[in-house]
């Protein structure tokens, strides 16, 4: 029997894993990193990579490694950069049936260099790469038809055609009792576009779970102040918020004023790229596998913290056993 929306609200915020896989839609990239800190790429420098990357790919990889059913709709080039991404996702248990391969465009890429102040310079190739060629083909339609949950990332707004697939997926997954989560990690300049703002607001109104980082909470809610923003989101469709606070830990907000704070793990940061995506992938998988919010938040926080300890945006994504060991051996911040 399909899980209805009324049954969903009475229980956990997210549809169970048994209904069908968590899916996401968006970019697959390779990341190539400068070996030394500095400003930009204006001279020959040593580089390391390629690493499998792309926010949706990192998310879905971590989701699969936690044991959740998971798949992605994306596109890669018929090249080695595409192959290392597809093989990573396949080996980690993700459904790759809806990753299309094109000979006409190269796999998307991101060159990254850390500055001395900790900020980063990027050179992206997304709009003119295979990453921008996603489409609602037969394989994508089939994956959506059996999905139980859709996770949308703000990065997808930069990809032509992504919204049409997201819109279709929302309708199909909702019709079979599925749920939606939203990570509002959208570049601020895109929010200035009227159509993007409209779509952004629709996702905020649609999402059962919102996973913002820091001030993204205020952007999603449309108001300042943590308490006011949480109240504003729950006044809409939101049933659960998992707020990522970086070095200050994370917080779950639930119905009826329920709140759970998770202290941060004390780690040496090597590469923060992908931490929030790993957090989201672990959290969604855990909740859909039936874990209580407290346990899901702990695993999600561990997933994000573990990922920053190694170089490469998804190199630290862990299995449940990996995260159990990490939790047992890693100190926590005491406030």
């Amino acid at each position: 029997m399909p899980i209805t929306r009324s049954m969903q609200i009475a229980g956990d915020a997210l549809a169970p894993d048994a209904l069908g896989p968590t899916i996401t839609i968006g970019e697959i990239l390779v990341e190539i990193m400068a070996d030394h800190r500095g400003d930009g790429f204006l001279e020959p420098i040593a580089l390391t990579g390629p690493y499998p990357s792309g926010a949706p790919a990192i998310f879905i990889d971590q989701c699969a490694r936690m044991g959740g059913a998971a798949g992605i709709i994306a596109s890669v080039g018929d090249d080695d950069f595409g192959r290392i991404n597809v093989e990573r996702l396949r080996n980690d248990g993700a459904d790759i049936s809806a990753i299309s391969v094109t000979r006409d465009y190269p796999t998307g890429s991101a060159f990254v260099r850390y500055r001395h102040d900790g900020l980063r310079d990027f050179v992206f190739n997304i709009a003119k790469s295979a990453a921008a060629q996603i489409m609602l083909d037969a394989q994508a339609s089939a994956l959506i038809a059996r999905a139980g949950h859709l996770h949308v990332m703000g990065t997808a707004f930069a990809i032509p055609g992504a919204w049409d697939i997201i819109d279709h997926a929302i309708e199909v997954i909702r019709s079979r009792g599925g749920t939606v989560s939203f990570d509002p990690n959208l570049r601020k300049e895109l929010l200035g576009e009227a159509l993007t703002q409209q779509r952004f607001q629709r996702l905020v109104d649609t999402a059962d779970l919102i996973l913002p980082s820091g001030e993204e909470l205020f952007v999603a809610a449309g108001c300042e102040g943590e308490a006011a923003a949480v109240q504003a989101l729950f006044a809409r469709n939101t049933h659960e918020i998992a707020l990522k606070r970086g070095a200050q830990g994370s917080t779950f907000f639930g119905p009826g004023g329920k709140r759970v704070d998770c202290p941060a793990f004390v780690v040496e940061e090597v590469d923060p790229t992908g931490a929030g995506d790993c957090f989201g992938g672990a959290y969604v998988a855990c909740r859909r596998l039936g874990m209580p919010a407290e346990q899901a938040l702990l695993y999600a926080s561990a997933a994000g913290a573990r990922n920053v300890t190694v170089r490469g945006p998804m190199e630290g994504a862990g299995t449940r056993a990996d995260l159990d060991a990490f939790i047992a051996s890693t100190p926590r911040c005491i406030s």
Side-chain angles (χ1 to χ4, degrees):
M1 180 178 68
I3 298 170
T4 66
R5 185 68 185 143
S6 59
M7 294 167 61
Q8 186 66 51
I9 293 173
D12 289 331
L14 303 187
D17 201 66
L19 182 63
T22 295
I23 67 167
T24 191
I25 300 161
E27 73 277 11
I28 289 179
L29 313 173
V30 291
E31 188 164 307
I32 299 169
M33 302 176 64
D35 287 350
H36 303 291
R37 292 178 178 247
D39 295 324
F41 297 92
L42 297 175
E43 60 186 7
I45 54 175
L47 302 167
T48 299
Y51 293 110
S53 188
I58 301 166
F59 168 90
I60 214 66
D61 188 78
Q62 178 62 80
C63 189
R65 286 180 67 78
M66 285 301 296
I72 184 171
I73 297 170
S75 182
V76 298
D78 184 16
D79 52 38
D80 286 348
F81 289 173
R83 282 184 274 277
I84 65 168
N85 272 287
V86 172
E87 287 307 304
R88 168 63 63 83
L89 293 169
R90 187 205 315 270
N91 291 339
D92 287 348
D95 185 330
I96 61 167
S97 62
I99 300 177
S100 62
V101 179
T102 175
R103 294 184 177 181
D104 296 327
Y105 295 87
T107 298
S109 61
F111 288 78
V112 185
R113 190 178 192 186
Y114 285 88
R115 304 176 195 167
H116 293 292
D117 61 6
L119 298 177
R120 292 167 288 177
D121 290 317
F122 291 92
V123 176
F124 287 109
N125 178 23
I126 298 178
K128 303 297 183 182
S129 76
Q133 307 308 310
I134 58 174
M135 62 184 71
L136 189 62
D137 58 15
Q139 291 75 24
S141 296
L143 180 60
I144 291 169
R146 62 178 182 271
H149 181 83
L150 172 67
H151 180 71
V152 182
M153 313 195 82
T155 59
F157 283 87
I159 299 177
W163 176 256
D164 291 338
I165 305 174
I166 291 168
D167 199 40
H168 171 75
I170 290 171
E171 296 302 320
V172 172
I173 292 170
R174 280 285 192 221
S175 73
R176 57 193 311 267
T179 45
V180 177
S181 55
F182 181 37
D183 185 338
N185 57 343
L186 178 64
R187 295 205 308 268
K188 291 181 179 179
E189 61 267 27
L190 290 177
L191 269 176
E193 301 172 6
L195 184 57
T196 298
Q197 179 65 240
Q198 178 184 342
R199 291 169 173 174
F200 181 90
Q201 293 304 324
R202 187 198 168 192
L203 277 169
V204 173
D205 287 333
T206 299
D208 305 275
L209 164 66
I210 296 182
L211 298 116
S213 293
E215 293 189 359
E216 291 169 0
L217 174 67
F218 310 139
V219 175
C223 62
E224 295 293 324
E226 185 173 289
V230 170
Q231 184 177 7
L233 289 172
F234 276 99
R236 294 164 84 170
N237 186 66
T238 305
H239 301 290
E240 191 166 314
I241 300 168
L243 176 62
K244 297 165 279 185
R245 302 182 185 273
Q248 283 70 53
S250 58
T251 301
F252 161 86
F253 297 97
K258 183 178 180 181
R259 172 176 176 150
V260 177
D261 290 303
C262 184
F265 289 90
V266 180
V267 295
E268 181 179 351
E269 183 179 279
V270 175
D271 180 8
T273 303
D277 307 320
C278 284
F279 179 103
Y283 188 87
V284 170
C286 288
R287 291 296 276 148
R288 297 200 65 217
L289 289 167
M291 294 185 196
E294 295 85 346
Q295 187 177 14
L297 194 65
L298 177 62
Y299 274 123
S301 298
R306 185 178 188 271
N307 197 56
V308 308
T309 63
V310 295
R311 202 172 195 204
M314 70 170 77
E315 300 309 300
T319 64
R320 185 169 176 179
D322 292 332
L323 296 181
D324 283 334
F326 178 86
I327 292 167
S329 63
T330 309
R332 311 281 292 282
C333 291
I334 306 298
S335 57

